[in-house]
Amino acid sequence: MEYLEVFDSIRPYKDSEVNEAVKRFIQHPFFDQVTNRLFPEKSIDELKKSLSEVSSVKDFQKVMMYPTARRVLDSSSEGITNDGFDRINPENAYLFISNHRDIVLDSTILNVLLFELGIDTTEVAIGNNLLVNQWVTDLAKLNKNFIVNRNVAPREMYSYSQTLSSYIRYTILEAKTSIWIAQREGRTKDGDDQTQQGLLKMIGLSGGKDFYENYAPLRIAPMAISYEYDPCDVLKAREIASKLAGQPIEKTPEDDLQSMIAGITGVKGRVHISIGKIVDEKLQEIREIKNKNDQMQALADLIDERIHKNYKLWPNNFIAYDWLFENRFSDYYSKEEAEKFEDYLRNQAKMFSADFDELKGPLLAMYANPVKNKLKVEGLAESEL
């Protein structure tokens, strides 16, 4: 049996499968609807003709995904800035572990920037709960997404986790392709980005017993993404408020689809993406920790520290912190910016038929928590914010 067959339920499409998948993709009614919205000036027939000639994942990204993503970002943001990409050697593959704010765009922005730098794009972990139909599934697997099953029975979880871990290691070390994965399952709803130990344990299942030899070859690159505005902020705040009230919302595939659309099309303001220092130089120290759980927590803390340190904090973050905790950062924003932010939040609540006063606490917290986390980074002076 070919080694890759073990990963058939996980992996994206291979080049040999692209042509057949593209045929399904362009024949689905969703294709015309999406294309009309994103490229109103383009002929759908011409785009279908170009796509029908695509025979590789790389070509699909060049013809469809890059121009689509760039169009979305240009129309819904005030620009993408970045730093830390000089830490990336195009000859190497990396495991990008990232804070997770938007279902689609966190990894998309990384891949847009890599594409523009002439560096191979990453494979991206995506939950199977988001694959709401065959069209979305084809789009995801054509665009180098690999599938993480969120519905594994408890008795099968260890075996499944081993397979997923082996796939990640195979992709980075053998296929020489980088991977993007969120630091936790699902988006961070409250802006308090923390890496889950369970994720790191899963990644390590396919490695050896020696901690350093297990994790160092993966070249873990902490990634921080900072949105000036979160288009899904009210939807997230509603979930938090419902949970606190003891009435958690049972999300449906339609809810996930609404969040995807809102995240893609909604106003984001400025966006910054930062690649932190690769964690390998600290792994030797963590290796000396005897307790395995403490070892995993030390690695999680290291990744968190580098994500938090690389946040780009916007005036909205400081405003929310001052309103929620103490008036500490008034020099970082103007009165006009504070009024603009409040108007934005009230309009967001109205757009989603929500009560601003009921959601004010969780809304402010999700914008304020990045400030709290950056302040916690050891040795950080306020002047460095």
Side-chain angles (χ1 to χ4, degrees):
M1 181 176 69
E2 184 184 353
Y3 187 52
L4 280 175
E5 288 181 12
V6 178
F7 306 132
D8 277 349
S9 64
I10 295 174
R11 64 171 177 78
Y13 289 138
K14 296 183 284 189
D15 286 348
S16 60
E17 300 165 321
V18 164
N19 196 255
E20 192 62 36
V22 167
K23 285 180 183 176
R24 286 195 305 271
F25 179 71
I26 62 179
Q27 288 168 3
H28 197 285
F30 277 12
F31 179 83
D32 289 7
Q33 295 171 28
V34 171
T35 305
N36 271 325
R37 183 168 180 176
L38 289 174
F39 302 105
E41 79 288 356
K42 276 196 174 183
S43 160
I44 291 179
D45 289 338
E46 285 179 17
L47 185 55
K48 285 183 175 180
K49 183 176 184 300
S50 297
L51 283 169
S52 66
E53 296 168 358
V54 161
S55 58
S56 70
V57 169
K58 195 168 187 176
D59 284 347
F60 179 80
Q61 290 194 321
K62 183 178 179 180
V63 172
M64 182 71 189
M65 292 314 301
Y66 171 73
T68 301
R70 181 36 86 183
R71 171 67 66 94
V72 165
L73 294 174
D74 288 345
S75 64
S76 66
S77 79
E78 292 180 20
I80 313 294
T81 54
N82 68 85
D83 63 63
F85 281 76
D86 54 346
R87 295 188 167 109
I88 302 304
N89 181 342
E91 302 301 314
N92 292 333
Y94 297 84
L95 177 59
F96 293 94
I97 296 184
S98 168
N99 64 327
H100 191 22
R101 299 300 174 79
D102 184 85
I103 293 173
V104 175
L105 288 182
D106 297 345
S107 56
T108 298
I109 293 171
L110 170 65
N111 279 332
V112 163
L113 295 175
L114 290 173
F115 185 92
E116 291 176 348
L117 289 168
I119 301 173
D120 283 345
T121 55
T122 70
E123 287 196 15
V124 173
I126 183 172
N128 67 321
N129 57 301
L130 302 177
L131 306 181
V132 295
N133 56 41
Q134 184 60 49
W135 189 79
V136 174
T137 300
D138 281 336
L139 175 60
K141 295 177 77 172
L142 281 165
N143 196 35
K144 294 175 74 171
N145 285 251
F146 66 95
I147 314 304
V148 178
N149 192 342
R150 303 291 192 204
N151 308 309
V152 180
R155 65 181 179 278
E156 298 169 2
M157 181 57 74
Y158 184 75
S159 174
Y160 175 76
S161 296
Q162 281 185 313
T163 302
L164 184 58
S165 177
S166 296
Y167 179 76
I168 290 171
R169 193 169 297 268
Y170 170 84
T171 301
I172 293 171
L173 301 186
E174 303 297 328
K176 308 296 185 188
T177 297
S178 293
I179 278 180
W180 176 96
I181 195 166
Q183 65 181 168
R184 48 163 292 145
E185 182 180 322
R187 294 169 298 162
T188 303
K189 305 296 195 303
D190 60 2
D192 185 12
D193 302 310
Q194 307 291 334
T195 301
Q196 287 178 334
Q197 267 200 47
L199 170 75
L200 302 178
K201 288 178 179 177
M202 178 277 290
I203 290 167
L205 285 175
S206 56
K209 290 185 178 180
D210 181 86
F211 177 85
Y212 181 83
E213 297 298 332
N214 190 337
Y215 289 95
L218 299 175
R219 300 186 187 91
I220 296 173
M223 176 186 132
I225 188 159
S226 307
Y227 298 90
E228 186 174 14
Y229 298 100
D230 184 339
C232 295
D233 45 19
V234 169
L235 296 175
K236 293 176 182 178
R238 184 184 276 156
E239 280 189 55
I240 293 170
S242 298
K243 190 175 181 180
L244 289 173
Q247 300 173 328
I249 296 172
E250 291 294 327
K251 291 176 70 178
T252 66
E254 288 72 27
D255 292 328
D256 287 328
L257 189 59
Q258 182 189 23
S259 290
M260 280 193 276
I261 293 169
I264 291 169
T265 60
V267 172
K268 300 160 196 58
R270 294 167 289 183
V271 183
H272 186 79
I273 189 168
S274 180
I275 307 300
K277 191 175 180 183
I278 313 304
V279 302
D280 56 356
E281 94 291 354
K282 289 282 188 180
L283 296 181
Q284 293 282 15
E285 294 177 26
I286 298 174
R287 179 197 224 168
E288 302 306 315
I289 299 173
K290 301 303 180 187
N291 182 281
K292 295 296 183 185
N293 284 332
D294 291 345
Q295 210 173 50
M296 285 298 105
Q297 191 57 52
L299 178 56
D301 289 344
L302 176 60
I303 293 168
D304 290 345
E305 178 184 308
R306 295 194 176 173
I307 290 174
H308 298 164
K309 191 171 185 178
N310 284 285
Y311 286 144
K312 175 72 174 177
L313 298 178
W314 308 107
N316 296 347
N317 300 115
F318 295 115
I319 295 164
Y321 183 95
D322 280 2
W323 286 352
L324 200 59
F325 300 111
E326 57 181 324
N327 188 16
R328 183 174 177 180
F329 295 110
S330 57
D331 289 344
Y332 288 76
Y333 56 88
S334 66
K335 181 184 176 184
E336 290 74 24
E337 285 172 324
E339 291 172 351
K340 180 183 175 184
F341 182 50
E342 182 173 3
D343 287 343
Y344 161 80
L345 292 177
R346 290 186 179 279
N347 288 332
Q348 279 284 97
K350 190 179 297 183
M351 184 171 69
F352 289 107
S353 303
D355 187 321
F356 170 72
D357 292 323
E358 286 182 7
L359 299 182
K360 186 176 180 179
L363 275 172
L364 292 179
M366 73 176 67
Y367 284 96
N369 277 329
V371 180
K372 286 181 67 178
N373 282 331
K374 193 160 186 176
L375 284 170
K376 285 181 199 172
V377 176
E378 190 174 355
L380 183 69
E382 270 188 35
S383 61
E384 295 178 86
L385 286 169

